[in-house]
Amino acid sequence: MIIKKTFQNPILPGFYPDPTICRVGDDYYVATSTFTYFPGVPIFHSKDLVHWEQICNVLTTPEQLPIPNGSPENSETSRGIFAPTLRYHNGTFYMITTNVSDELGNFIVTAKDPRGPWSKPYPLGSAGIDPSLFFDDDGKCYYCGTQPRREGAKYFGDNEIYIQELDLETMQLVGESFPAWHGALRDMEWPEGPHIYKKDGWYYLMISEAGTAHDHAISIARSKSLFEKFEGHRGNPILTHRNLGYSYPIVNVGHPDIVETQNGEWWMVLLASRPYGGDYHRNLGRETFLVPFTWEGGWPVINPGKAIVEDQGIAPDLPLFIPSPVPAREDFNNDTLPLHMMYVRNPIKENYSYDKKESHLSLKCYTDLLSSYDTPTFVCQRQQAPSFKFQSKLSFDPASDTSKAGIAIFQSQSYNYQLLVSKKGDKSHIQLIKVEHDNVQTVCEKTLDNFYETLTLRLIADQQDLYFSYSCTGSDYSDFVQIGDVQNGRILSTDVAGGFVGTTMGIYAETGDSSADDWAHFDYMEYVNA
């Protein structure tokens, strides 16, 4: 008896939304959205579609990823980079996306090697969001995007999917744009996330509809020409979980991209969420899932016989790929951050140092707060499971009593928790701060019996119950004292906080004194799923 390999969804757990995929030979590459986090647009590599290794971040300079400070409209955590598309053509990789926070708008960057370096951005001046690229058999390239209906939108989200030729020499759109499709259902809002594919003489246009929340769905249309009317499939939507109810463990499926393997199998990557902790709370954000499909009668059939995304499935018929593991603990022994760690908005690089204390990452206490729309001194990584442990060891002896440092779990500037250490006279002072709906509240504070230059800070999440604690002994794994009562993690879900991002946690430093020169030294960050 042949035992087939299985795989576990999501293939990219945590805040990795809007996946896009391309194949080059027997190598597969996936990229995802990052919004106002920096660097932007991670790329992952695989050979089996199941196990993935991050190989780069595409947008690594302020020129490629300009995010303004201080603007509730443009600096909000869920602004920035929307929905990339990754494609390969004639020896060059193309990544096209939208920066909704800057006049750069829709732009392209290119690279000969997916690991980079990636080029300067080429702004396109095109309208709307969610741009995609399609390379036809004759070598011509076409832009496909989303914008409000040209004849006038009847309501917010009344969009059209449009196509226009792109001149790769000038990186400019040429000719007239064509309104290819308005989606599968009448009065359906937010047809978006388009991708074009060609198969058996047909051009296929696959999109998402109904927004990226619970009603999210995937629909498809086809045409014999890029500039003739696309006809929707009578079986649309070809995939949705909205009919499965709010208690189903995988929800809001959508925003797909597809790939054919070298063995002739077809697979789809898409986003979805995993609510947990009772009711409907999606702290992990939108994650990347994998689902098989086949073609029948000229149309795709998703996960035949089931038509849903499952948490486990039969793996692709591809050789096993073993990626380099991401260590649970980052000891800051190198002079660069690992690829999976991020900043909020464009970092002020002078506020981060590997030289202040050996084998530590030092953060300068800065006046931009985590609860602001500015540039806090904050290094973070994604939450990847409902229950986890996160901790860091801090060495901190500030001169200003307004300087604070510690750990935080962050959904946005408007919803987060912070466990911060400061100096009160000759003693250490600890505060647990909750930011909810922009209201900053100290929920618990404690002055210790002595000054402890080194403290270990810990957060344990048991589903939606958050436990914050500290240790004065210098031990990494014992003698922890809980501070405050159990806190409610539900405020960190998109269902409470809004927006499009998932939760991150990291290390942070702040001050209320602009003349202060206080630095917090972090020995490590450790994240372990329970």
Side-chain angles (χ1 to χ4, degrees):
M1 185 177 72
I2 298 175
I3 300 176
K4 294 186 176 181
K5 296 181 296 183
T6 61
F7 74 95
Q8 193 72 32
N9 266 320
I11 55 170
L12 294 180
F15 159 47
Y16 292 107
D18 308 324
T20 173
I21 190 168
C22 73
R23 176 173 72 88
V24 182
D26 60 358
D27 293 296
Y28 297 85
Y29 301 95
V30 158
T32 69
S33 298
T34 42
F35 299 90
T36 57
Y37 283 97
F38 184 97
V41 187
I43 291 184
F44 296 84
H45 168 249
S46 177
K47 285 183 176 290
D48 64 5
L49 288 175
V50 171
H51 305 96
W52 295 87
E53 179 177 349
Q54 187 174 351
I55 58 172
C56 80
N57 292 290
V58 175
L59 307 176
T60 59
T61 69
E63 179 188 19
Q64 295 170 321
L65 180 51
I67 300 293
N69 278 352
S71 166
E73 179 181 359
N74 291 316
S75 308
E76 203 280 327
T77 314
S78 288
R79 300 293 288 173
I81 296 296
F82 280 20
T85 294
L86 183 66
R87 294 292 182 259
Y88 176 81
H89 178 70
N90 282 353
T92 299
F93 289 87
Y94 297 81
M95 194 283 293
I96 184 170
T97 189
T98 312
N99 186 339
V100 300
S101 292
D102 184 80
E103 62 184 11
L104 191 60
N106 295 309
F107 68 95
I108 294 174
V109 291
T110 65
K112 294 298 183 180
D113 186 331
R115 292 164 176 80
W118 288 81
S119 72
K120 69 178 183 180
Y122 298 97
L124 298 173
S126 54
I129 61 170
D130 293 4
S132 182
L133 295 177
F134 169 71
F135 296 91
D136 209 344
D137 299 335
D138 59 4
K140 287 187 176 181
C141 181
Y142 296 90
Y143 174 103
C144 185
T146 301
Q147 67 178 1
R149 283 181 184 249
R150 62 190 63 201
E151 66 270 25
K154 294 181 292 184
Y155 48 85
F156 187 52
D158 184 16
N159 288 348
E160 69 178 28
I161 308 299
Y162 72 102
I163 299 171
Q164 191 169 358
E165 187 178 347
L166 174 67
D167 186 332
L168 293 177
E169 294 295 323
T170 63
M171 287 295 188
Q172 295 295 312
L173 296 174
V174 295
E176 297 294 322
S177 69
F178 174 69
W181 200 32
H182 298 98
L185 299 178
R186 191 175 186 178
D187 297 329
M188 176 59 73
E189 61 183 13
W190 297 117
E192 60 187 6
H195 293 304
I196 299 172
Y197 315 95
K198 193 173 186 180
K199 185 179 187 298
D200 301 330
W202 289 97
Y203 294 93
Y204 289 88
L205 178 55
M206 186 176 291
I207 69 168
S208 291
E209 296 187 88
T212 193
H214 185 76
D215 289 336
H216 214 24
I218 298 169
S219 297
I220 193 167
R222 71 182 185 181
S223 174
K224 284 292 186 178
S225 166
L226 288 175
F227 296 100
E228 295 178 6
K229 183 180 179 182
F230 277 71
E231 296 289 342
H233 181 27
R234 294 181 64 182
N236 280 325
I238 57 173
L239 181 64
T240 186
H241 279 197
R242 61 191 178 208
N243 55 309
L244 301 180
Y246 287 90
S247 62
Y248 195 74
I250 300 172
V251 298
N252 60 259
V253 301
H255 207 108
D257 200 1
I258 63 176
V259 68
E260 183 183 13
T261 72
Q262 62 269 36
N263 298 326
E265 293 182 343
W266 287 86
W267 290 85
M268 173 185 287
V269 292
L270 71 164
L271 66 78
S273 298
R274 294 177 290 163
Y276 68 90
D279 299 322
Y280 193 88
H281 293 94
R282 297 167 295 163
N283 300 50
L284 295 164
R286 298 167 303 156
E287 308 172 278
T288 293
F289 288 70
L290 181 69
V291 64
F293 71 97
T294 60
W295 295 86
E296 293 183 3
W299 297 103
V301 176
I302 311 299
N303 199 3
K306 299 178 180 179
I308 58 173
V309 181
E310 300 176 286
D311 60 1
Q312 190 176 81
I314 301 300
D317 181 20
L318 295 170
L320 177 66
F321 175 66
I322 303 177
S324 299
V326 176
R329 178 162 164 156
E330 170 56 35
D331 285 311
F332 302 124
N333 290 326
N334 299 313
D335 59 358
T336 57
L337 286 178
L339 291 173
H340 66 284
M341 291 189 177
M342 307 176 292
Y343 309 92
V344 176
R345 308 180 193 96
N346 299 131
I348 301 172
K349 289 299 183 69
E350 295 79 12
N351 288 349
Y352 304 86
S353 173
Y354 289 91
D355 300 325
K356 297 287 184 180
K357 188 177 178 64
E358 184 178 1
S359 297
H360 286 67
L361 176 57
S362 299
L363 274 56
K364 185 175 183 179
C365 297
Y366 193 60
T367 52
D368 285 358
L369 303 180
L370 200 59
S371 57
S372 75
Y373 294 92
D374 296 307
T375 308
T377 309
F378 180 55
V379 172
C380 62
Q381 63 188 91
R382 295 164 178 84
Q383 178 184 344
Q384 295 184 306
S387 298
F388 63 89
K389 180 189 74 174
F390 176 79
Q391 70 181 43
S392 182
K393 183 183 285 188
L394 166 68
S395 295
F396 189 44
D397 187 5
S400 171
D401 59 5
T402 69
S403 296
K404 304 173 185 179
I407 63 173
I409 181 167
F410 181 81
Q411 207 283 336
S412 70
Q413 66 287 322
S414 304
Y415 294 85
N416 57 80
Y417 287 99
Q418 306 164 29
L419 180 61
L420 302 181
V421 177
S422 59
K423 194 172 183 181
K424 193 171 186 179
D426 59 354
K427 298 180 179 181
S428 294
H429 188 69
I430 301 181
Q431 290 176 289
L432 177 57
I433 295 169
K434 177 172 72 172
V435 181
E436 182 178 8
H437 199 60
D438 293 313
N439 178 40
V440 182
Q441 175 190 2
T442 300
V443 296
C444 183
E445 57 185 326
K446 182 178 182 180
T447 301
L448 305 185
D449 55 350
N450 289 299
F451 171 67
Y452 297 89
E453 182 173 349
T454 299
L455 289 164
T456 303
L457 305 177
R458 174 183 286 180
L459 162 63
I460 291 178
D462 180 7
Q463 297 279 305
Q464 297 291 1
D465 293 334
L466 306 182
Y467 300 86
F468 293 87
S469 59
Y470 65 93
S471 172
C472 303
T473 66
S475 170
D476 294 343
Y477 302 106
S478 62
D479 302 322
F480 277 83
V481 179
Q482 183 174 324
I483 181 166
D485 296 328
V486 58
Q487 301 298 313
N488 182 11
R490 292 170 181 83
I491 70 166
L492 305 175
S493 69
T494 56
D495 311 283
V496 175
F500 306 126
V501 300
T503 301
T504 62
M505 68 286 303
I507 53 179
Y508 169 61
E510 68 169 56
T511 188
D513 181 359
S514 60
S515 65
D517 189 28
D518 291 324
W519 289 79
H521 311 287
F522 292 89
D523 186 20
Y524 64 84
M525 285 170 56
E526 184 177 69
Y527 172 87
V528 180
N529 291 327

